[in-house]
Amino acid sequence: SMPTQAHLWAALQRLAGAGVCSRNVSSNSSSPKPPDTSLFVPVSLKTDFSADGSVGIELTQPLDKNELLKVLNRFYKKKEMQKMAADHGLDARLFHQAFISFRKYVLEMTSLPADLHIILSDICSGAGHVDDIYPYFMRHAKQIFPMLDCMEDLRKISDLRVPANWYPEARAIQRKVIFHAGPTNSGKTYHAIQRYLAAKSGVYCGPLKLLAHEIFEKSNNAGVPCDLVTGEERTFMDLDGRAAGHVACTIEMCSVTTPYEVAVIDEIQMIRDLSRGWAWTRALLGLCAEEIHVCGEPAAIDFIRELMFTTGEEVEVNTYQRLTPFTILDHAVESLDNLRPGDCIVCFSKNDIYSISRQIEARGLECAVIYGSLPPGTKLSQAKKFNDPDDPCKILVATDAIGMGLNLSIKRIIFNSLIKPNVNEKGEKQMEAISTSQALQISGRAGRFSSKFKEGEVTTMHRDDLPVLKEILSHSVDPIETAGLHPTAEQIEMFAYHLPDATLSNLDIFVSLSQVDGMYFVCNIDDFKFLADMIQHIPLNLRSRYVFCTAPINKKQPFVCTSFLKFARQFSRDEPLTFDWVCRHVGWPLSAPKNIKDLVHLEAVHDVFDLYLWLSYRFMDMFPDTALVRETQRELDDIIQQGVRNITRLIRATDPTITDSLQTQGRPSVGNSGSASSSYSTHSRGQRGQRGSGEMMDRSLASRLVRDGLLTPDLLRQLQREWSKDQKQEFSNQSALDTEHHNNNNKGKRKKKKK
């Protein structure tokens, strides 16, 4: 039910007190921007006027529908009516929508409210004026667009200007801000962490669970008791659960009410991230620490200075140079035959990782594999395998997930392509060349101060990409100009008060009305809306619905999405989600993966356990079996690790006929290799005449097989046709060798190669 105006005003006052809407705001724009009315969805009306009965008909007479239609259309065409409606918030689009709805309502209702019936009857009989319809039309418009009545209130609630005022505890102290600026591997974070360890209390805020874990371990190993807080995990060093003086957390989880001596905010350039930037803004403006140590790219220095100007806090800048140089080589690698120990091939699609790791193993070499959707434990074990000087695995195939959070001993970074799928400001996916910032972040992983490769090298796999990479790396990084913001739960709750029939996915109206200072933007809420739409039909109270919609899930995984839906449904029935219930849902226990499809499913189940743990910290009584789920997730991580160690075997199981033939790659082709590559294939551009038809085949068929985990008879026949010409050619002796045999003889092979 709608709260009274007095209730709403009291709530608004509370909000204003908390600094969410600041009255005396200085803003560049004097008049508020008009809302984007394309987002207004009409509410369906309850059309039961049985209380009135047919009083209108009794007092006058039934209305002539034809006459009525003419009268209504005459009303619609009157410019004065349109102008009056516009003054009350009905722009041309809404006026048209409201009129269509009003006309349908008048013509199709068996009995109209008495007052409206009498007015219409008078007009039809010439006793009234067509303009008399206006108040009834507006009454109808406000019923289907309830936001019209409270536009001013909605505007106040969605006022996101002066976000510094949202954090009164931080504004009550004078904080010292120290910016540690430098490229990857310059020791900037090291210096900030030294200060953090020396302090009586501290908080570390990082972008990844892996980074939070690393600081957690480093701190405890240094004898400084430190807790760990991520979305899915809380580890307290004190056995009674009392908080330690230090905490390492993922940035979304930091507390803006706990006082600390030192706070470290890592990778500050992510403040401009289109979906997560708000978390850096919140930490920077809201942490209650005497010293805030900010680490990141020099491109953020001027902006952070400007941002801290709004809080009256000065910024001291310490600049660091890279500790070990990296050079861009003058030649591309061109063939996987030219790989060397310490190489890392960077791909921007999982399919390319599968394809390349299989081709490397076909050459008798072992490789480690790291990509974003692997569990943290698996990433660490693959990094350890690659870093271990005694392990025969000397090559890494990875996505840009290696850009942060893993310590790797890489000699040479090889970009397999420079095209990466990106999400633009409108939330649309597009393929585009990596930015200078991304290229530097990845290239910077070559040659690390603490690794055995002191000097790093960077190049590309394909010749045509090398000048493009040099061009990208020659630019300076664009300076950061804006920071992300996100509406708070309180603001959304107030918004929903005013629009009781709107769904949470109608948050677009909030974003369209929201006013921000020029230094800020409202973060992309597509994931939030996606989840809101998914559980719209499930009865949840607003606060619970909001929490569910902020859950960090991978919406590309159908199994994770259906699990999310089941969790919400079970929760809405007020039935606790027990360990047994979750096991039944995911089919636990699960066996080791036999092919890539199985591996992808296990990764999805790991994500479902993450979702359970994330929700368990927000609704403890409803997700009671945290310890059991965490234990099971560790077992699953081990199963996935095993699968990734055998990834080439899994790929071979996914398309068994190809592996041997793939070994015919790496020699020049006859003629032109064509351009049938898909937008995210292994070879993004400029491949003419460089590679054999083997790779052509790999791009067209194999990627489909890997993607779907299928091999149909038709595809098999096509494979055999494509390969019949090549099978008698060179490398046939290698083709006969079983890959298992390669694994056993890796060390010997490598020694022979080095000779």
Side-chain angles (χ1 to χ4, degrees), residues 12 43 62 78 85 90 92 131 150 163 171 182 231 233 280 298 302 372 374 390 393 406 468 709 711 720 728:
L12 266 170
V43 172
K78 290 199 71 168
L90 280 180
D131 292 6
C150 50
R171 297 296 73 78
E233 196 173 351
W280 274 262
D302 291 344
L374 286 177
D390 300 325
C393 166
L406 288 164
V468 182
L711 190 65
Q720 285 159 346
K728 297 189 188 79

PDB file of all heavy atoms in Angstrom, residues 12 43 62 78 85 90 92 131 150 163 171 182 231 233 280 298 302 372 374 390 393 406 468 709 711 720 728:
ATOM      1  N   LEU A  12      12.050  11.196   3.105  1.00  0.00           N
ATOM      2  CA  LEU A  12      12.912  12.053   2.279  1.00  0.00           C
ATOM      3  C   LEU A  12      13.834  12.898   3.156  1.00  0.00           C
ATOM      4  O   LEU A  12      15.001  13.093   2.852  1.00  0.00           O
ATOM      5  CB  LEU A  12      12.060  12.989   1.416  1.00  0.00           C
ATOM      6  CG  LEU A  12      11.757  12.467   0.016  1.00  0.00           C
ATOM      7  CD1 LEU A  12      10.723  13.345  -0.649  1.00  0.00           C
ATOM      8  CD2 LEU A  12      13.007  12.426  -0.829  1.00  0.00           C
ATOM      9  N   VAL A  43       1.024   1.384 -16.388  1.00  0.00           N
ATOM     10  CA  VAL A  43       0.544   0.390 -15.423  1.00  0.00           C
ATOM     11  C   VAL A  43      -0.849  -0.045 -15.862  1.00  0.00           C
ATOM     12  O   VAL A  43      -1.653   0.776 -16.294  1.00  0.00           O
ATOM     13  CB  VAL A  43       0.458   1.055 -14.021  1.00  0.00           C
ATOM     14  CG1 VAL A  43      -0.203   0.142 -13.015  1.00  0.00           C
ATOM     15  CG2 VAL A  43       1.837   1.477 -13.562  1.00  0.00           C
ATOM     16  N   PRO A  62     -27.320   5.530 -22.507  1.00  0.00           N
ATOM     17  CA  PRO A  62     -26.110   4.892 -23.035  1.00  0.00           C
ATOM     18  C   PRO A  62     -25.440   5.791 -24.074  1.00  0.00           C
ATOM     19  O   PRO A  62     -26.120   6.556 -24.770  1.00  0.00           O
ATOM     20  CB  PRO A  62     -26.636   3.604 -23.673  1.00  0.00           C
ATOM     21  CG  PRO A  62     -27.948   3.352 -23.006  1.00  0.00           C
ATOM     22  CD  PRO A  62     -28.519   4.701 -22.673  1.00  0.00           C
ATOM     23  N   LYS A  78      -6.427  18.714 -30.444  1.00  0.00           N
ATOM     24  CA  LYS A  78      -6.371  20.116 -30.003  1.00  0.00           C
ATOM     25  C   LYS A  78      -4.996  20.456 -29.422  1.00  0.00           C
ATOM     26  O   LYS A  78      -4.543  19.854 -28.454  1.00  0.00           O
ATOM     27  CB  LYS A  78      -7.463  20.385 -28.953  1.00  0.00           C
ATOM     28  CG  LYS A  78      -8.860  20.367 -29.553  1.00  0.00           C
ATOM     29  CD  LYS A  78      -9.867  21.060 -28.664  1.00  0.00           C
ATOM     30  CE  LYS A  78      -9.671  22.571 -28.643  1.00  0.00           C
ATOM     31  NZ  LYS A  78     -10.797  23.266 -28.029  1.00  0.00           N
ATOM     32  N   ALA A  85      -1.183  19.408 -21.230  1.00  0.00           N
ATOM     33  CA  ALA A  85      -0.685  18.108 -20.755  1.00  0.00           C
ATOM     34  C   ALA A  85       0.837  18.153 -20.612  1.00  0.00           C
ATOM     35  O   ALA A  85       1.398  17.629 -19.644  1.00  0.00           O
ATOM     36  CB  ALA A  85      -1.096  17.005 -21.715  1.00  0.00           C
ATOM     37  N   LEU A  90       3.436  15.417 -19.427  1.00  0.00           N
ATOM     38  CA  LEU A  90       3.133  14.475 -20.518  1.00  0.00           C
ATOM     39  C   LEU A  90       3.729  15.004 -21.811  1.00  0.00           C
ATOM     40  O   LEU A  90       3.130  15.858 -22.466  1.00  0.00           O
ATOM     41  CB  LEU A  90       1.611  14.342 -20.699  1.00  0.00           C
ATOM     42  CG  LEU A  90       0.833  13.433 -19.750  1.00  0.00           C
ATOM     43  CD1 LEU A  90      -0.643  13.448 -20.115  1.00  0.00           C
ATOM     44  CD2 LEU A  90       1.333  12.011 -19.820  1.00  0.00           C
ATOM     45  N   ALA A  92       5.055  14.544 -25.842  1.00  0.00           N
ATOM     46  CA  ALA A  92       4.283  14.035 -26.986  1.00  0.00           C
ATOM     47  C   ALA A  92       4.130  12.517 -26.919  1.00  0.00           C
ATOM     48  O   ALA A  92       3.049  11.971 -27.160  1.00  0.00           O
ATOM     49  CB  ALA A  92       4.964  14.456 -28.287  1.00  0.00           C
ATOM     50  N   ASP A 131     -13.164  20.396 -24.383  1.00  0.00           N
ATOM     51  CA  ASP A 131     -12.076  20.653 -23.423  1.00  0.00           C
ATOM     52  C   ASP A 131     -12.399  20.100 -22.034  1.00  0.00           C
ATOM     53  O   ASP A 131     -11.490  19.895 -21.220  1.00  0.00           O
ATOM     54  CB  ASP A 131     -11.814  22.163 -23.289  1.00  0.00           C
ATOM     55  CG  ASP A 131     -11.237  22.747 -24.575  1.00  0.00           C
ATOM     56  OD1 ASP A 131     -11.159  21.991 -25.562  1.00  0.00           O
ATOM     57  OD2 ASP A 131     -10.871  23.934 -24.590  1.00  0.00           O
ATOM     58  N   CYS A 150       4.728  12.399  -8.936  1.00  0.00           N
ATOM     59  CA  CYS A 150       5.772  12.600  -7.919  1.00  0.00           C
ATOM     60  C   CYS A 150       7.128  12.853  -8.568  1.00  0.00           C
ATOM     61  O   CYS A 150       8.155  12.479  -8.022  1.00  0.00           O
ATOM     62  CB  CYS A 150       5.825  11.401  -6.993  1.00  0.00           C
ATOM     63  SG  CYS A 150       5.914   9.836  -7.865  1.00  0.00           S
ATOM     64  N   PRO A 163      28.529  13.396  -4.058  1.00  0.00           N
ATOM     65  CA  PRO A 163      28.576  12.116  -3.341  1.00  0.00           C
ATOM     66  C   PRO A 163      29.498  12.137  -2.122  1.00  0.00           C
ATOM     67  O   PRO A 163      29.365  11.286  -1.243  1.00  0.00           O
ATOM     68  CB  PRO A 163      29.064  11.116  -4.389  1.00  0.00           C
ATOM     69  CG  PRO A 163      29.652  11.932  -5.477  1.00  0.00           C
ATOM     70  CD  PRO A 163      28.985  13.263  -5.447  1.00  0.00           C
ATOM     71  N   ARG A 171      33.949  12.508   6.357  1.00  0.00           N
ATOM     72  CA  ARG A 171      34.063  13.972   6.309  1.00  0.00           C
ATOM     73  C   ARG A 171      34.385  14.556   7.682  1.00  0.00           C
ATOM     74  O   ARG A 171      34.849  15.682   7.800  1.00  0.00           O
ATOM     75  CB  ARG A 171      32.761  14.614   5.783  1.00  0.00           C
ATOM     76  CG  ARG A 171      32.348  14.276   4.350  1.00  0.00           C
ATOM     77  CD  ARG A 171      33.321  14.749   3.262  1.00  0.00           C
ATOM     78  NE  ARG A 171      34.550  13.981   3.192  1.00  0.00           N
ATOM     79  CZ  ARG A 171      34.661  12.790   2.624  1.00  0.00           C
ATOM     80  NH1 ARG A 171      33.619  12.225   2.067  1.00  0.00           N
ATOM     81  NH2 ARG A 171      35.829  12.156   2.606  1.00  0.00           N
ATOM     82  N   GLY A 182      52.609   4.549 -10.804  1.00  0.00           N
ATOM     83  CA  GLY A 182      53.656   3.906 -11.595  1.00  0.00           C
ATOM     84  C   GLY A 182      53.074   2.788 -12.442  1.00  0.00           C
ATOM     85  O   GLY A 182      51.933   2.372 -12.240  1.00  0.00           O
ATOM     86  N   GLY A 231      33.265 -11.204  -1.037  1.00  0.00           N
ATOM     87  CA  GLY A 231      31.816 -11.409  -1.144  1.00  0.00           C
ATOM     88  C   GLY A 231      31.394 -12.777  -0.646  1.00  0.00           C
ATOM     89  O   GLY A 231      30.328 -12.938  -0.066  1.00  0.00           O
ATOM     90  N   GLU A 233      33.453 -14.986   1.292  1.00  0.00           N
ATOM     91  CA  GLU A 233      34.315 -15.588   2.316  1.00  0.00           C
ATOM     92  C   GLU A 233      34.614 -14.606   3.442  1.00  0.00           C
ATOM     93  O   GLU A 233      34.818 -13.421   3.203  1.00  0.00           O
ATOM     94  CB  GLU A 233      35.641 -15.999   1.636  1.00  0.00           C
ATOM     95  CG  GLU A 233      36.481 -16.941   2.423  1.00  0.00           C
ATOM     96  CD  GLU A 233      37.686 -17.432   1.613  1.00  0.00           C
ATOM     97  OE1 GLU A 233      37.768 -17.176   0.389  1.00  0.00           O
ATOM     98  OE2 GLU A 233      38.542 -18.060   2.220  1.00  0.00           O
ATOM     99  N   TRP A 280      35.262   1.917  -6.294  1.00  0.00           N
ATOM    100  CA  TRP A 280      36.483   2.710  -6.038  1.00  0.00           C
ATOM    101  C   TRP A 280      36.089   4.105  -5.556  1.00  0.00           C
ATOM    102  O   TRP A 280      36.719   4.652  -4.655  1.00  0.00           O
ATOM    103  CB  TRP A 280      37.346   2.767  -7.305  1.00  0.00           C
ATOM    104  CG  TRP A 280      38.249   1.586  -7.427  1.00  0.00           C
ATOM    105  CD1 TRP A 280      39.566   1.510  -7.081  1.00  0.00           C
ATOM    106  CD2 TRP A 280      37.893   0.262  -7.897  1.00  0.00           C
ATOM    107  NE1 TRP A 280      40.058   0.244  -7.318  1.00  0.00           N
ATOM    108  CE2 TRP A 280      39.059  -0.541  -7.817  1.00  0.00           C
ATOM    109  CE3 TRP A 280      36.719  -0.307  -8.382  1.00  0.00           C
ATOM    110  CZ2 TRP A 280      39.075  -1.880  -8.196  1.00  0.00           C
ATOM    111  CZ3 TRP A 280      36.732  -1.649  -8.769  1.00  0.00           C
ATOM    112  CH2 TRP A 280      37.895  -2.421  -8.671  1.00  0.00           C
ATOM    113  N   PRO A 298      49.658   6.422 -13.515  1.00  0.00           N
ATOM    114  CA  PRO A 298      49.833   7.883 -13.442  1.00  0.00           C
ATOM    115  C   PRO A 298      48.682   8.635 -14.120  1.00  0.00           C
ATOM    116  O   PRO A 298      48.418   9.791 -13.792  1.00  0.00           O
ATOM    117  CB  PRO A 298      51.155   8.120 -14.187  1.00  0.00           C
ATOM    118  CG  PRO A 298      51.882   6.804 -14.140  1.00  0.00           C
ATOM    119  CD  PRO A 298      50.825   5.745 -14.108  1.00  0.00           C
ATOM    120  N   ASP A 302      45.844  13.416 -11.893  1.00  0.00           N
ATOM    121  CA  ASP A 302      45.156  14.717 -11.936  1.00  0.00           C
ATOM    122  C   ASP A 302      43.701  14.589 -11.499  1.00  0.00           C
ATOM    123  O   ASP A 302      43.176  15.436 -10.768  1.00  0.00           O
ATOM    124  CB  ASP A 302      45.230  15.326 -13.347  1.00  0.00           C
ATOM    125  CG  ASP A 302      46.653  15.746 -13.683  1.00  0.00           C
ATOM    126  OD1 ASP A 302      47.468  15.842 -12.740  1.00  0.00           O
ATOM    127  OD2 ASP A 302      46.963  15.947 -14.874  1.00  0.00           O
ATOM    128  N   GLY A 372      39.733 -16.469 -16.971  1.00  0.00           N
ATOM    129  CA  GLY A 372      38.932 -15.826 -15.923  1.00  0.00           C
ATOM    130  C   GLY A 372      37.987 -16.719 -15.157  1.00  0.00           C
ATOM    131  O   GLY A 372      37.845 -16.587 -13.941  1.00  0.00           O
ATOM    132  N   LEU A 374      38.112 -19.789 -14.312  1.00  0.00           N
ATOM    133  CA  LEU A 374      38.671 -20.861 -13.471  1.00  0.00           C
ATOM    134  C   LEU A 374      38.589 -20.453 -11.997  1.00  0.00           C
ATOM    135  O   LEU A 374      38.750 -19.279 -11.671  1.00  0.00           O
ATOM    136  CB  LEU A 374      40.150 -21.108 -13.817  1.00  0.00           C
ATOM    137  CG  LEU A 374      40.456 -21.836 -15.115  1.00  0.00           C
ATOM    138  CD1 LEU A 374      41.965 -21.915 -15.310  1.00  0.00           C
ATOM    139  CD2 LEU A 374      39.864 -23.244 -15.129  1.00  0.00           C
ATOM    140  N   ASP A 390      61.550 -26.625 -11.827  1.00  0.00           N
ATOM    141  CA  ASP A 390      61.750 -28.074 -11.990  1.00  0.00           C
ATOM    142  C   ASP A 390      60.607 -28.744 -12.751  1.00  0.00           C
ATOM    143  O   ASP A 390      60.655 -29.944 -13.015  1.00  0.00           O
ATOM    144  CB  ASP A 390      61.891 -28.740 -10.611  1.00  0.00           C
ATOM    145  CG  ASP A 390      63.074 -28.162  -9.845  1.00  0.00           C
ATOM    146  OD1 ASP A 390      64.088 -27.836 -10.503  1.00  0.00           O
ATOM    147  OD2 ASP A 390      62.969 -28.003  -8.611  1.00  0.00           O
ATOM    148  N   CYS A 393      56.689 -27.969 -17.508  1.00  0.00           N
ATOM    149  CA  CYS A 393      55.779 -27.004 -18.139  1.00  0.00           C
ATOM    150  C   CYS A 393      56.457 -25.634 -18.201  1.00  0.00           C
ATOM    151  O   CYS A 393      56.711 -25.017 -17.175  1.00  0.00           O
ATOM    152  CB  CYS A 393      54.500 -26.918 -17.320  1.00  0.00           C
ATOM    153  SG  CYS A 393      53.499 -25.513 -17.766  1.00  0.00           S
ATOM    154  N   LEU A 406      48.214 -12.296 -10.179  1.00  0.00           N
ATOM    155  CA  LEU A 406      49.021 -13.520 -10.135  1.00  0.00           C
ATOM    156  C   LEU A 406      50.485 -13.152 -10.327  1.00  0.00           C
ATOM    157  O   LEU A 406      50.805 -12.343 -11.196  1.00  0.00           O
ATOM    158  CB  LEU A 406      48.593 -14.487 -11.237  1.00  0.00           C
ATOM    159  CG  LEU A 406      47.237 -15.184 -11.066  1.00  0.00           C
ATOM    160  CD1 LEU A 406      46.789 -15.784 -12.386  1.00  0.00           C
ATOM    161  CD2 LEU A 406      47.290 -16.260  -9.995  1.00  0.00           C
ATOM    162  N   VAL A 468      50.811  -2.807 -35.261  1.00  0.00           N
ATOM    163  CA  VAL A 468      49.619  -2.300 -34.551  1.00  0.00           C
ATOM    164  C   VAL A 468      49.911  -2.246 -33.048  1.00  0.00           C
ATOM    165  O   VAL A 468      49.585  -1.267 -32.376  1.00  0.00           O
ATOM    166  CB  VAL A 468      48.381  -3.197 -34.834  1.00  0.00           C
ATOM    167  CG1 VAL A 468      47.149  -2.637 -34.132  1.00  0.00           C
ATOM    168  CG2 VAL A 468      48.141  -3.327 -36.332  1.00  0.00           C
ATOM    169  N   GLY A 709      30.876 -29.032 -27.911  1.00  0.00           N
ATOM    170  CA  GLY A 709      31.190 -30.336 -27.328  1.00  0.00           C
ATOM    171  C   GLY A 709      30.581 -31.477 -28.128  1.00  0.00           C
ATOM    172  O   GLY A 709      30.224 -32.519 -27.596  1.00  0.00           O
ATOM    173  N   LEU A 711      30.387 -33.847 -31.974  1.00  0.00           N
ATOM    174  CA  LEU A 711      31.044 -34.224 -33.223  1.00  0.00           C
ATOM    175  C   LEU A 711      30.058 -35.090 -33.984  1.00  0.00           C
ATOM    176  O   LEU A 711      29.849 -36.238 -33.646  1.00  0.00           O
ATOM    177  CB  LEU A 711      32.329 -35.004 -32.927  1.00  0.00           C
ATOM    178  CG  LEU A 711      33.211 -35.227 -34.160  1.00  0.00           C
ATOM    179  CD1 LEU A 711      33.725 -33.896 -34.681  1.00  0.00           C
ATOM    180  CD2 LEU A 711      34.387 -36.115 -33.821  1.00  0.00           C
ATOM    181  N   GLN A 720      37.212 -35.125 -42.695  1.00  0.00           N
ATOM    182  CA  GLN A 720      38.036 -36.077 -43.456  1.00  0.00           C
ATOM    183  C   GLN A 720      38.332 -35.534 -44.849  1.00  0.00           C
ATOM    184  O   GLN A 720      39.443 -35.660 -45.353  1.00  0.00           O
ATOM    185  CB  GLN A 720      37.317 -37.439 -43.520  1.00  0.00           C
ATOM    186  CG  GLN A 720      37.419 -38.170 -42.186  1.00  0.00           C
ATOM    187  CD  GLN A 720      36.333 -39.228 -42.016  1.00  0.00           C
ATOM    188  OE1 GLN A 720      35.355 -39.252 -42.766  1.00  0.00           O
ATOM    189  NE2 GLN A 720      36.508 -40.087 -41.035  1.00  0.00           N
ATOM    190  N   LYS A 728      49.140 -37.027 -46.150  1.00  0.00           N
ATOM    191  CA  LYS A 728      50.327 -37.777 -46.576  1.00  0.00           C
ATOM    192  C   LYS A 728      51.582 -36.906 -46.539  1.00  0.00           C
ATOM    193  O   LYS A 728      52.651 -37.346 -46.865  1.00  0.00           O
ATOM    194  CB  LYS A 728      50.102 -38.315 -47.992  1.00  0.00           C
ATOM    195  CG  LYS A 728      48.941 -39.308 -48.063  1.00  0.00           C
ATOM    196  CD  LYS A 728      48.893 -39.991 -49.428  1.00  0.00           C
ATOM    197  CE  LYS A 728      47.653 -40.824 -49.581  1.00  0.00           C
ATOM    198  NZ  LYS A 728      46.457 -40.067 -49.904  1.00  0.00           N
TER     199      LYS A 728
END
